[in-house]
Amino acid sequence: MEKKSVVNLITVQNLKKEYVTGEVVTPVLKDINFKIDQGEFVAIMGPSGSGKSTLMHILSFLERGTSGLYQFKGQDINEFSDNYLAELRNKEIGFVFQSFNLLPRTTVLDNVKLPLTYSKLKNHEQLAKKSLDAVGLSHRLNYYTNQISGGEKQRVAIARALVCDPAVIFADEPTGNLDSKSGNTVMFLLQQLNNQGRTIILVTHETDTANHAKRIIRIKDGNILSDEKVEKRTIAEADKDLIK
Ligand code: ADP
């Protein structure tokens, strides 16, 4: 049997982040260490205030750590300018947010096209349609975003995250504004994308949501508490979740 080669995507070593306000120093991330390979589905889990968002902002080049190493595809992120990081973010990272962040009074298709306007890619219409097809929304192209359900909005947001063919999708509490059925549909879609090889990093405080990932990194007070594989669930169990 052919063995799949493991390709490292993210390496974080001794990462620290502190915020300084006047004379007050708030340590938010204390000593974070992990590696994430291409094709993984990782949940970063922890209670409110534990440092999840800060970590996600650093991993997606929106903020820099105070000290420590962050390598993305083997490159030291600290060596890059903010402008270059913005370009890299557009190319390599797709975002899915709790509150969808779609443009109102704009069609589904135009929302998905938006990240392409900042990229060097061509054939925007075709790429956006392909992305919407991947999330099962080809029949909603010309709907306005206020004419679709919450679950559909999040699927549009996933299509938008996919449209530049990023190396990784960051999903920040993607089910937080959804009922449990739509939430499960969204998580099932993320699982499908991961099964097709897409790397996914999920940030959540909910165990049910985190259990859709293949690995859970738990953080508390800026430290990693545990970093474990999720037991493989059978398809029947996953299906049960879907019809809950
Ligand atoms: P989580 O996403 O797990 O809720 P955050 O990363 O948002 O946690 O925040 C972790 C801690 O860092 C909190 O105590 C928060 O108040 C603090 N924090 C976040 N951003 C800033 C900032 N810009 N300045 C000062 N403190 C901050």
PDB file of all heavy atoms in Angstrom, residues 15-33:
ATOM      1  N   LEU A  15       5.862  29.876  21.717  1.00  0.00           N
ATOM      2  CA  LEU A  15       5.145  31.103  21.357  1.00  0.00           C
ATOM      3  C   LEU A  15       4.563  31.765  22.604  1.00  0.00           C
ATOM      4  O   LEU A  15       3.894  31.119  23.412  1.00  0.00           O
ATOM      5  CB  LEU A  15       4.019  30.785  20.367  1.00  0.00           C
ATOM      6  CG  LEU A  15       3.179  31.982  19.943  1.00  0.00           C
ATOM      7  CD1 LEU A  15       3.969  32.897  19.009  1.00  0.00           C
ATOM      8  CD2 LEU A  15       1.897  31.526  19.267  1.00  0.00           C
ATOM      9  N   LYS A  16       4.848  33.051  22.721  1.00  0.00           N
ATOM     10  CA  LYS A  16       4.288  33.850  23.827  1.00  0.00           C
ATOM     11  C   LYS A  16       3.642  35.094  23.245  1.00  0.00           C
ATOM     12  O   LYS A  16       4.098  35.621  22.231  1.00  0.00           O
ATOM     13  CB  LYS A  16       5.402  34.301  24.776  1.00  0.00           C
ATOM     14  CG  LYS A  16       6.042  33.192  25.571  1.00  0.00           C
ATOM     15  CD  LYS A  16       7.007  33.772  26.599  1.00  0.00           C
ATOM     16  CE  LYS A  16       7.635  32.704  27.468  1.00  0.00           C
ATOM     17  NZ  LYS A  16       8.482  31.748  26.742  1.00  0.00           N
ATOM     18  N   LYS A  17       2.569  35.522  23.914  1.00  0.00           N
ATOM     19  CA  LYS A  17       1.961  36.795  23.511  1.00  0.00           C
ATOM     20  C   LYS A  17       1.536  37.521  24.765  1.00  0.00           C
ATOM     21  O   LYS A  17       0.862  36.954  25.638  1.00  0.00           O
ATOM     22  CB  LYS A  17       0.730  36.525  22.633  1.00  0.00           C
ATOM     23  CG  LYS A  17      -0.047  37.760  22.266  1.00  0.00           C
ATOM     24  CD  LYS A  17       0.652  38.596  21.222  1.00  0.00           C
ATOM     25  CE  LYS A  17      -0.114  39.868  20.879  1.00  0.00           C
ATOM     26  NZ  LYS A  17       0.606  40.684  19.888  1.00  0.00           N
ATOM     27  N   GLU A  18       1.970  38.762  24.877  1.00  0.00           N
ATOM     28  CA  GLU A  18       1.471  39.571  25.987  1.00  0.00           C
ATOM     29  C   GLU A  18       1.021  40.919  25.465  1.00  0.00           C
ATOM     30  O   GLU A  18       1.547  41.420  24.471  1.00  0.00           O
ATOM     31  CB  GLU A  18       2.518  39.707  27.101  1.00  0.00           C
ATOM     32  CG  GLU A  18       3.884  40.117  26.634  1.00  0.00           C
ATOM     33  CD  GLU A  18       4.962  39.957  27.712  1.00  0.00           C
ATOM     34  OE1 GLU A  18       4.919  38.972  28.461  1.00  0.00           O
ATOM     35  OE2 GLU A  18       5.841  40.835  27.777  1.00  0.00           O
ATOM     36  N   TYR A  19       0.008  41.464  26.110  1.00  0.00           N
ATOM     37  CA  TYR A  19      -0.467  42.796  25.775  1.00  0.00           C
ATOM     38  C   TYR A  19      -0.008  43.750  26.859  1.00  0.00           C
ATOM     39  O   TYR A  19      -0.080  43.425  28.041  1.00  0.00           O
ATOM     40  CB  TYR A  19      -1.996  42.818  25.689  1.00  0.00           C
ATOM     41  CG  TYR A  19      -2.536  42.055  24.507  1.00  0.00           C
ATOM     42  CD1 TYR A  19      -3.175  40.829  24.667  1.00  0.00           C
ATOM     43  CD2 TYR A  19      -2.399  42.558  23.209  1.00  0.00           C
ATOM     44  CE1 TYR A  19      -3.664  40.125  23.577  1.00  0.00           C
ATOM     45  CE2 TYR A  19      -2.886  41.856  22.114  1.00  0.00           C
ATOM     46  CZ  TYR A  19      -3.521  40.645  22.311  1.00  0.00           C
ATOM     47  OH  TYR A  19      -3.996  39.954  21.226  1.00  0.00           O
ATOM     48  N   VAL A  20       0.476  44.900  26.438  1.00  0.00           N
ATOM     49  CA  VAL A  20       0.925  45.903  27.400  1.00  0.00           C
ATOM     50  C   VAL A  20      -0.001  47.110  27.313  1.00  0.00           C
ATOM     51  O   VAL A  20      -0.172  47.687  26.244  1.00  0.00           O
ATOM     52  CB  VAL A  20       2.388  46.326  27.100  1.00  0.00           C
ATOM     53  CG1 VAL A  20       2.872  47.331  28.131  1.00  0.00           C
ATOM     54  CG2 VAL A  20       3.294  45.107  27.062  1.00  0.00           C
ATOM     55  N   THR A  21      -0.633  47.435  28.424  1.00  0.00           N
ATOM     56  CA  THR A  21      -1.487  48.625  28.483  1.00  0.00           C
ATOM     57  C   THR A  21      -0.949  49.483  29.628  1.00  0.00           C
ATOM     58  O   THR A  21      -1.070  49.099  30.789  1.00  0.00           O
ATOM     59  CB  THR A  21      -2.952  48.224  28.781  1.00  0.00           C
ATOM     60  OG1 THR A  21      -3.270  47.056  28.038  1.00  0.00           O
ATOM     61  CG2 THR A  21      -3.919  49.331  28.446  1.00  0.00           C
ATOM     62  N   GLY A  22      -0.334  50.590  29.295  1.00  0.00           N
ATOM     63  CA  GLY A  22       0.302  51.417  30.325  1.00  0.00           C
ATOM     64  C   GLY A  22       1.378  50.598  31.010  1.00  0.00           C
ATOM     65  O   GLY A  22       2.292  50.090  30.346  1.00  0.00           O
ATOM     66  N   GLU A  23       1.235  50.424  32.315  1.00  0.00           N
ATOM     67  CA  GLU A  23       2.250  49.643  33.044  1.00  0.00           C
ATOM     68  C   GLU A  23       1.788  48.208  33.281  1.00  0.00           C
ATOM     69  O   GLU A  23       2.490  47.428  33.916  1.00  0.00           O
ATOM     70  CB  GLU A  23       2.550  50.321  34.383  1.00  0.00           C
ATOM     71  CG  GLU A  23       3.366  51.583  34.173  1.00  0.00           C
ATOM     72  CD  GLU A  23       3.718  52.279  35.479  1.00  0.00           C
ATOM     73  OE1 GLU A  23       3.395  51.753  36.557  1.00  0.00           O
ATOM     74  OE2 GLU A  23       4.317  53.360  35.378  1.00  0.00           O
ATOM     75  N   VAL A  24       0.592  47.904  32.773  1.00  0.00           N
ATOM     76  CA  VAL A  24       0.044  46.556  33.013  1.00  0.00           C
ATOM     77  C   VAL A  24       0.401  45.624  31.860  1.00  0.00           C
ATOM     78  O   VAL A  24       0.115  45.915  30.699  1.00  0.00           O
ATOM     79  CB  VAL A  24      -1.493  46.607  33.183  1.00  0.00           C
ATOM     80  CG1 VAL A  24      -2.061  45.230  33.489  1.00  0.00           C
ATOM     81  CG2 VAL A  24      -1.867  47.600  34.257  1.00  0.00           C
ATOM     82  N   VAL A  25       1.059  44.521  32.191  1.00  0.00           N
ATOM     83  CA  VAL A  25       1.394  43.525  31.182  1.00  0.00           C
ATOM     84  C   VAL A  25       0.461  42.333  31.373  1.00  0.00           C
ATOM     85  O   VAL A  25       0.387  41.764  32.463  1.00  0.00           O
ATOM     86  CB  VAL A  25       2.861  43.057  31.336  1.00  0.00           C
ATOM     87  CG1 VAL A  25       3.184  41.982  30.313  1.00  0.00           C
ATOM     88  CG2 VAL A  25       3.807  44.242  31.200  1.00  0.00           C
ATOM     89  N   THR A  26      -0.296  41.986  30.325  1.00  0.00           N
ATOM     90  CA  THR A  26      -1.194  40.820  30.417  1.00  0.00           C
ATOM     91  C   THR A  26      -0.632  39.690  29.564  1.00  0.00           C
ATOM     92  O   THR A  26      -0.629  39.782  28.334  1.00  0.00           O
ATOM     93  CB  THR A  26      -2.609  41.188  29.893  1.00  0.00           C
ATOM     94  OG1 THR A  26      -2.994  42.431  30.448  1.00  0.00           O
ATOM     95  CG2 THR A  26      -3.631  40.120  30.226  1.00  0.00           C
ATOM     96  N   PRO A  27      -0.120  38.631  30.226  1.00  0.00           N
ATOM     97  CA  PRO A  27       0.338  37.489  29.426  1.00  0.00           C
ATOM     98  C   PRO A  27      -0.880  36.692  28.958  1.00  0.00           C
ATOM     99  O   PRO A  27      -1.710  36.289  29.761  1.00  0.00           O
ATOM    100  CB  PRO A  27       1.174  36.675  30.425  1.00  0.00           C
ATOM    101  CG  PRO A  27       0.775  37.135  31.772  1.00  0.00           C
ATOM    102  CD  PRO A  27      -0.003  38.401  31.662  1.00  0.00           C
ATOM    103  N   VAL A  28      -1.004  36.513  27.646  1.00  0.00           N
ATOM    104  CA  VAL A  28      -2.197  35.847  27.106  1.00  0.00           C
ATOM    105  C   VAL A  28      -1.850  34.443  26.605  1.00  0.00           C
ATOM    106  O   VAL A  28      -2.565  33.479  26.855  1.00  0.00           O
ATOM    107  CB  VAL A  28      -2.827  36.706  25.992  1.00  0.00           C
ATOM    108  CG1 VAL A  28      -3.996  35.992  25.356  1.00  0.00           C
ATOM    109  CG2 VAL A  28      -3.284  38.036  26.559  1.00  0.00           C
ATOM    110  N   LEU A  29      -0.724  34.318  25.902  1.00  0.00           N
ATOM    111  CA  LEU A  29      -0.229  32.987  25.520  1.00  0.00           C
ATOM    112  C   LEU A  29       1.143  32.835  26.179  1.00  0.00           C
ATOM    113  O   LEU A  29       2.006  33.697  26.035  1.00  0.00           O
ATOM    114  CB  LEU A  29      -0.123  32.868  23.996  1.00  0.00           C
ATOM    115  CG  LEU A  29      -1.435  33.011  23.225  1.00  0.00           C
ATOM    116  CD1 LEU A  29      -1.190  33.010  21.722  1.00  0.00           C
ATOM    117  CD2 LEU A  29      -2.420  31.900  23.597  1.00  0.00           C
ATOM    118  N   LYS A  30       1.330  31.721  26.900  1.00  0.00           N
ATOM    119  CA  LYS A  30       2.515  31.644  27.764  1.00  0.00           C
ATOM    120  C   LYS A  30       3.665  30.836  27.187  1.00  0.00           C
ATOM    121  O   LYS A  30       4.796  31.256  27.232  1.00  0.00           O
ATOM    122  CB  LYS A  30       2.100  31.142  29.144  1.00  0.00           C
ATOM    123  CG  LYS A  30       1.247  32.207  29.834  1.00  0.00           C
ATOM    124  CD  LYS A  30       0.627  31.748  31.116  1.00  0.00           C
ATOM    125  CE  LYS A  30      -0.323  32.824  31.649  1.00  0.00           C
ATOM    126  NZ  LYS A  30      -1.272  32.286  32.615  1.00  0.00           N
ATOM    127  N   ASP A  31       3.375  29.668  26.651  1.00  0.00           N
ATOM    128  CA  ASP A  31       4.457  28.862  26.060  1.00  0.00           C
ATOM    129  C   ASP A  31       3.792  27.789  25.200  1.00  0.00           C
ATOM    130  O   ASP A  31       3.572  26.668  25.630  1.00  0.00           O
ATOM    131  CB  ASP A  31       5.312  28.225  27.167  1.00  0.00           C
ATOM    132  CG  ASP A  31       6.506  27.480  26.589  1.00  0.00           C
ATOM    133  OD1 ASP A  31       6.860  27.731  25.412  1.00  0.00           O
ATOM    134  OD2 ASP A  31       7.080  26.634  27.303  1.00  0.00           O
ATOM    135  N   ILE A  32       3.451  28.200  23.987  1.00  0.00           N
ATOM    136  CA  ILE A  32       2.634  27.338  23.126  1.00  0.00           C
ATOM    137  C   ILE A  32       3.540  26.606  22.133  1.00  0.00           C
ATOM    138  O   ILE A  32       4.362  27.228  21.452  1.00  0.00           O
ATOM    139  CB  ILE A  32       1.579  28.178  22.374  1.00  0.00           C
ATOM    140  CG1 ILE A  32       0.682  28.949  23.359  1.00  0.00           C
ATOM    141  CG2 ILE A  32       0.761  27.331  21.420  1.00  0.00           C
ATOM    142  CD1 ILE A  32      -0.271  28.103  24.158  1.00  0.00           C
ATOM    143  N   ASN A  33       3.362  25.289  22.061  1.00  0.00           N
ATOM    144  CA  ASN A  33       4.158  24.454  21.161  1.00  0.00           C
ATOM    145  C   ASN A  33       3.261  23.429  20.474  1.00  0.00           C
ATOM    146  O   ASN A  33       2.552  22.693  21.159  1.00  0.00           O
ATOM    147  CB  ASN A  33       5.211  23.657  21.960  1.00  0.00           C
ATOM    148  CG  ASN A  33       6.235  24.569  22.599  1.00  0.00           C
ATOM    149  OD1 ASN A  33       7.188  24.981  21.958  1.00  0.00           O
ATOM    150  ND2 ASN A  33       6.026  24.906  23.862  1.00  0.00           N
TER     151      ASN A  33
END
